[in-house]
Amino acid sequence: MVYQKIKMIHVFIIILVVSCLCLIISKMNSTEICIFCIRKEGPIFFKKYGGNFLQLPDIDCRKNPPFLVVMVTSSHNQIKARMAIRETWGKERIVQGKRIITYFLLGITNSKDDNVVTQESQKYRDIIQKDFLDVYFNLTLKTMMGIEWVHHFCPQSDFVMKTDSDMFVNVYYLTDLLIRKNRTTRFFTGFLKTNEFPIRKIFNKWYVSYYEYPWEKYPPFCSGTGYVFSSDIASEVYNVSEKVPFIKLEDVFMGLCLAELKIHLEELHSEQTFFPDGLKFSTCRFKKIVTCHFVKPKNLLIYWKALERSLDEKCPAV
Ligand SMILES: *[C@@H]1O[C@H](CO)[C@@H](O)[C@H](O)[C@H]1NC(C)=O
Ligand SMILES: *[C@@H]1O[C@H](CO)[C@@H](O)[C@H](O)[C@H]1NC(C)=O
Ligand SMILES: *[C@@H]1O[C@H](CO)[C@@H](O)[C@H](O)[C@H]1NC(C)=O
């Protein structure tokens, strides 16, 4: 009996110690854990992804150059989001005499989903695709494919926007602000992040190892949920990209390219117009924003209808 009790206590203590260790390790960051790891040599540089475009949109930018090309990073299963965007802010339209077009950026999955996307591309002619594997880790590759497309096929456009498929984009207000801003070159704007640090907690979604990014601080960058730039920057970034260390966070990578090019981020407006953390919908509020994150396809359709219905109505001044 006594012997059994002692055994129980032993088991209990072992469980306690193991739990404590697990807790400590999960709270530690990678340097602390990696004291005994062998440090590999410095960061790897970005490598341009060769190969041909599998899908290209139907446009000749030399003939009828758009004012703004919106590029949406998307993945194969986000068909609902793509359809909602096509019916709302992504529909080709002219705003204040300026043409705006929206294209989706995709890689491949090596599954039957690829055929579905090929058919979708043939139907809507708004997909830009190369044959890299469409995974989260390849997001930088996906954005750089968009940059390459602008550089090769549409340097005649005035502006380029990169955004995601869970976004509301008020292309009316964006166009208005871009016209008012009256900038044509070396202009880059969005939700500015000027004081960001790599997250070194291993179990965090945004974890970045010291191997991938050995520096303590990120360069200034704009939230990947939506940034806008003059199209000359596409060629400059494409040109400089291989001199820049690779990081899987595409918006930080863009920031590294801009730092190399000595291009400074600028605010589009004196008021906040980009909302990477989302914003509660109201028609009057959404008339004076450029982006809002976390919008489901169903809500996108509702918000957009409300916005379009109220375009000519005045809102009370705030
Ligand atoms: C990114 O795409 C390339 C090309 O298809 C592939 O070799 C690589 O494994 C992909 N990255 C990841 C993390 O899967
Ligand atoms: C736009 O900027 C150019 C110079 O960059 C200037 O000549 C022009 O007057 C400006 N237009 C407006 C409407 O401010
Ligand atoms: C590309 O970079 C080289 C120097 O690295 C420069 O001479 C050239 O003008 C750049 N081209 C463009 C299009 O920016």
Side-chain angles (χ1 to χ4, degrees):
M1 198 56 203
V2 173
Y3 175 73
Q4 264 206 344
K5 237 184 187 165
I6 290 176
K7 210 171 152 192
M8 285 284 284
I9 288 171
H10 274 162
V11 169
F12 181 73
I13 288 174
I14 287 169
I15 289 174
L16 204 71
V17 167
V18 168
S19 319
C20 280
L21 271 178
C22 283
L23 193 72
I24 289 168
I25 287 175
S26 72
K27 293 274 179 239
M28 270 164 69
N29 64 36
S30 54
T31 16
E32 285 154 3
I33 289 179
C34 254
I35 289 168
F36 306 107
C37 302
I38 298 158
R39 262 302 280 279
K40 302 189 195 113
E41 70 289 347
I44 35 169
F45 283 80
F46 177 76
K47 191 91 194 69
K48 280 177 189 161
Y49 188 72
N52 295 317
F53 284 95
L54 298 178
Q55 299 298 330
L56 285 169
D58 204 6
I59 187 172
D60 183 349
C61 286
R62 288 166 306 182
K63 286 200 186 123
N64 188 7
F67 174 71
L68 172 67
V69 181
V70 185
M71 300 194 299
V72 187
T73 48
S74 186
S75 59
H76 291 63
N77 57 5
Q78 290 170 331
I79 175 83
K80 259 196 194 143
R82 284 196 293 281
M83 287 315 296
I85 290 170
R86 285 181 181 119
E87 284 175 43
T88 57
W89 54 263
K91 193 174 183 167
E92 180 170 340
R93 58 168 56 76
I94 313 259
V95 178
Q96 299 188 38
K98 311 282 190 187
R99 194 156 80 107
I100 298 159
I101 49 175
T102 298
Y103 297 142
F104 299 96
L105 306 177
L106 285 151
I108 58 161
T109 58
N110 290 324
S111 76
K112 62 178 184 342
D113 287 352
D114 289 331
N115 304 332
V116 177
V117 161
T118 304
Q119 282 168 16
E120 193 183 324
S121 169
Q122 281 160 0
K123 183 160 181 196
Y124 298 102
R125 298 270 169 213
D126 60 0
I127 287 177
I128 300 174
Q129 185 190 37
K130 270 193 161 187
D131 65 351
F132 59 85
L133 209 53
D134 202 308
V135 290
Y136 176 69
F137 191 85
N138 272 342
L139 205 53
T140 296
L141 223 51
K142 193 178 270 184
T143 299
M144 292 310 290
M145 169 179 73
I147 293 286
E148 182 183 354
W149 184 84
V150 175
H151 168 70
H152 277 307
F153 295 98
C154 211
Q156 298 85 356
S157 67
D158 292 295
F159 295 97
V160 179
M161 174 180 205
K162 185 264 147 187
T163 186
D164 292 337
S165 39
D166 56 350
M167 301 293 297
F168 177 97
V169 180
N170 185 341
V171 287
Y172 296 106
Y173 196 48
L174 173 58
T175 305
D176 189 37
L177 291 176
L178 285 173
I179 292 171
R180 275 200 260 161
K181 195 81 185 177
N182 191 25
R183 288 286 306 274
T184 51
T185 57
R186 291 175 78 83
F187 177 65
F188 197 102
T189 191
F191 184 84
L192 273 57
K193 295 185 158 214
T194 52
N195 197 31
E196 299 285 325
F197 300 86
I199 291 169
R200 305 299 192 184
K201 302 272 179 214
I202 284 182
F203 296 103
N204 190 288
K205 186 186 168 194
W206 312 108
Y207 166 70
V208 167
S209 71
Y210 278 95
Y211 173 57
E212 186 177 3
Y213 192 85
W215 303 281
E216 285 306 322
K217 198 167 187 264
Y218 284 144
F221 65 99
C222 284
S223 163
T225 54
Y227 51 78
V228 183
F229 50 95
S230 55
S231 65
D232 58 313
I233 288 186
S235 296
E236 293 209 36
V237 165
Y238 183 71
N239 194 15
V240 88
S241 59
E242 293 194 315
K243 282 194 218 159
V244 175
F246 172 84
I247 180 161
K248 62 180 177 285
L249 308 176
E250 61 87 18
D251 46 9
V252 176
F253 181 78
M254 207 63 178
L256 289 169
C257 291
L258 296 175
E260 181 74 32
L261 293 164
K262 300 193 167 57
I263 292 172
H264 302 291
L265 311 180
E266 291 173 60
E267 295 286 359
L268 181 56
H269 191 45
S270 53
E271 317 261 318
Q272 182 179 357
T273 55
F274 293 87
F275 290 86
D277 298 321
L279 182 69
K280 191 169 174 297
F281 180 80
S282 83
T283 309
C284 281
R285 191 72 191 85
F286 271 46
K287 280 172 88 134
K288 297 285 179 208
I289 70 163
V290 175
T291 66
C292 175
H293 195 193
F294 305 121
V295 178
K296 296 200 169 73
K298 195 182 76 187
N299 289 336
L300 179 54
L301 296 167
I302 296 169
Y303 298 173
W304 189 259
K305 273 205 191 103
L307 181 79
E308 291 217 303
R309 263 200 308 267
S310 75
L311 277 179
D312 300 323
E313 288 165 21
K314 281 262 175 291
C315 282
V318 275

